[in-house]
Amino acid sequence: MHTLKKLAGAAALMLGAAGLAAPAAAAYPEHPINLIVSYGPGGGTDLVARMMAPFLQKYLGSDSRIVVLNRPGAGGAIGFGELARAQPDGYTIGFINTPNLLTIPIERKTAFTWKSYDLLGNLIDDPGAFAVLDSSPVKNLKELSEYAKANPSKVTVGTTGNGSDDHLAMLRFARTAGVELTHVPYKGAGEVRGAVSSGEIMIGAINVGEVLQYQKGGTPIRFLGQMANTRSPILPDQPTFKEQGYDFELASLRGLAAPKGLPEDIRKKLVSAVKQTVDDPEFQAKARELFAPLRYLPPDAYAQELAQGEAQFRKLWDEAPWLDK
């Protein structure tokens, strides 16, 4: 009987303990979230990241705070690698940019591919462009071709690195026109803009939205052409490369991702916050002010786009590797 009483007492204690309220799990996010930008300050990705941070904070709630971290270098590989290596806990997210995200693992061994991430959604689709100082004697692509033929290797073109849309555009133009151009890589579009402005280089291979931002900010540069299939809605008066006899198009997708392996509840919350941000009329208005061409893709559609792009760039690499000689 004494033993039975002991067992009954122990059971009662266990039941009492079970009835106590368990500590509530901390609501995500409970501390700041780092947002990695793989390019320098002042470029299109950096400007969009800083503009959108308050909207992500709003839709994530819990007094969240987004801290933008610039990790430029190696055409984006430094930042992409840091993002892929981070803990998949929702406290590190980042922008991933094509084609660099796709081309870098093709041209050299890396610790990441686009499959290294949980995709949160694409936001931007910005066509490439060539831009020069207003004072440049070159007014269009025909004149650029003529100038380059008369001055072999003297036309310097600034890009955001090997395998970027800017670099591939330069190579495609050079092959199509039959000219020699000199590649000058930088850590971001902001540095390319500065190099064009100072006369350090002749051509800036910069995306349409970025050139428009710099023009608005007072930089005296103008377009030679845009690389969209049809004229971008934000640049309706500027002819495409195709219209000028150079039948190719290149653009940069810019979307958000996190390290692979996010807890499902956190992944869903981040995906929802990205979608709510893109749908927010105030965010859309600010994107227009930055000349950032929005193109939202949910994770599944984003993955399909990246897979197709990877296949195209592998084919291009097999035909004509794009690394500088």
Side-chain angles (χ1 to χ4, degrees):
M1 180 68 72
H2 186 66
T3 302
L4 288 174
K5 283 183 178 179
K6 275 187 170 182
L7 290 172
L13 285 172
M14 290 174 66
L15 288 171
L20 293 175
Y28 169 81
E30 60 176 336
H31 58 77
I33 297 170
N34 289 330
L35 171 56
I36 293 174
V37 172
S38 299
Y39 302 93
T45 306
D46 178 70
L47 293 173
V48 169
R50 295 177 189 281
M51 180 271 287
M52 77 176 298
F55 294 91
L56 282 178
Q57 291 171 181
K58 171 184 173 182
Y59 291 114
L60 286 170
S62 301
D63 298 321
S64 59
R65 186 164 69 90
I66 308 292
V67 180
V68 177
L69 303 177
N70 294 93
R71 296 290 187 263
I78 290 175
F80 299 152
E82 183 173 329
L83 178 62
R85 291 189 303 271
Q87 288 296 315
D89 55 9
Y91 289 101
T92 303
I93 61 176
F95 268 95
I96 52 176
N97 302 57
T98 67
N100 304 53
L101 177 73
L102 306 176
T103 57
I104 292 171
I106 293 173
E107 69 191 36
R108 61 186 185 268
K109 185 175 181 180
T110 62
F112 65 87
T113 72
W114 70 268
K115 295 178 182 178
S116 303
Y117 310 98
D118 279 335
L119 303 177
L120 306 178
N122 187 69
L123 289 90
I124 308 293
D125 188 350
D126 197 0
F130 279 179
V132 296
L133 278 176
D134 285 346
S135 58
S136 172
V138 175
K139 307 296 183 186
N140 52 49
L141 297 181
K142 179 176 180 292
E143 292 184 4
L144 174 59
S145 176
E146 293 171 348
Y147 183 92
K149 287 176 181 176
N151 300 273
S153 299
K154 290 186 178 179
V155 175
T156 47
V157 182
T159 80
T160 52
N162 280 331
S164 64
D165 56 324
D166 318 320
H167 183 214
L168 297 179
M170 170 198 146
L171 294 177
R172 292 286 296 274
F173 177 81
R175 292 186 188 118
T176 305
V179 298
E180 295 180 19
L181 306 175
T182 299
H183 182 215
V184 186
Y186 293 91
K187 293 181 180 179
E191 288 190 9
V192 178
R193 175 199 61 79
V196 173
S197 298
S198 67
E200 182 178 317
I201 57 174
M202 180 177 177
I203 307 289
I206 316 175
N207 294 95
V208 163
E210 292 167 332
V211 178
L212 290 171
Q213 291 165 23
Y214 301 147
Q215 287 179 335
K216 183 179 179 181
T219 303
I221 56 175
R222 55 180 167 76
F223 288 95
L224 296 182
Q226 58 176 312
M227 298 171 205
N229 182 42
T230 58
R231 297 188 185 194
S232 171
I234 64 173
L235 192 63
D237 298 328
Q238 178 61 50
T240 65
F241 273 48
K242 184 181 294 186
E243 288 176 89
Q244 298 184 68
Y246 300 91
D247 192 7
F248 62 88
E249 56 186 279
L250 283 165
S252 176
L253 291 180
R254 300 174 198 151
L256 285 175
K260 195 77 172 178
L262 286 178
E264 185 60 16
D265 58 334
I266 291 177
R267 189 192 71 82
K268 286 182 176 179
K269 190 165 188 178
L270 284 165
V271 169
S272 176
V274 171
K275 180 64 164 66
Q276 288 175 291
T277 294
V278 175
D279 287 343
D280 190 306
E282 185 181 354
F283 172 80
Q284 293 172 3
K286 288 184 178 296
R288 286 192 294 272
E289 290 175 7
L290 285 180
F291 304 103
L294 296 179
R295 182 191 174 201
Y296 174 72
L297 292 172
D300 287 348
Y302 193 12
Q304 291 177 11
E305 189 95 2
L306 293 175
Q308 291 170 2
E310 181 183 43
Q312 291 169 359
F313 288 121
R314 285 194 181 280
K315 183 174 183 294
L316 178 60
W317 175 262
D318 290 340
E319 295 171 352
W322 51 74
L323 285 179
D324 290 333
K325 297 291 190 289

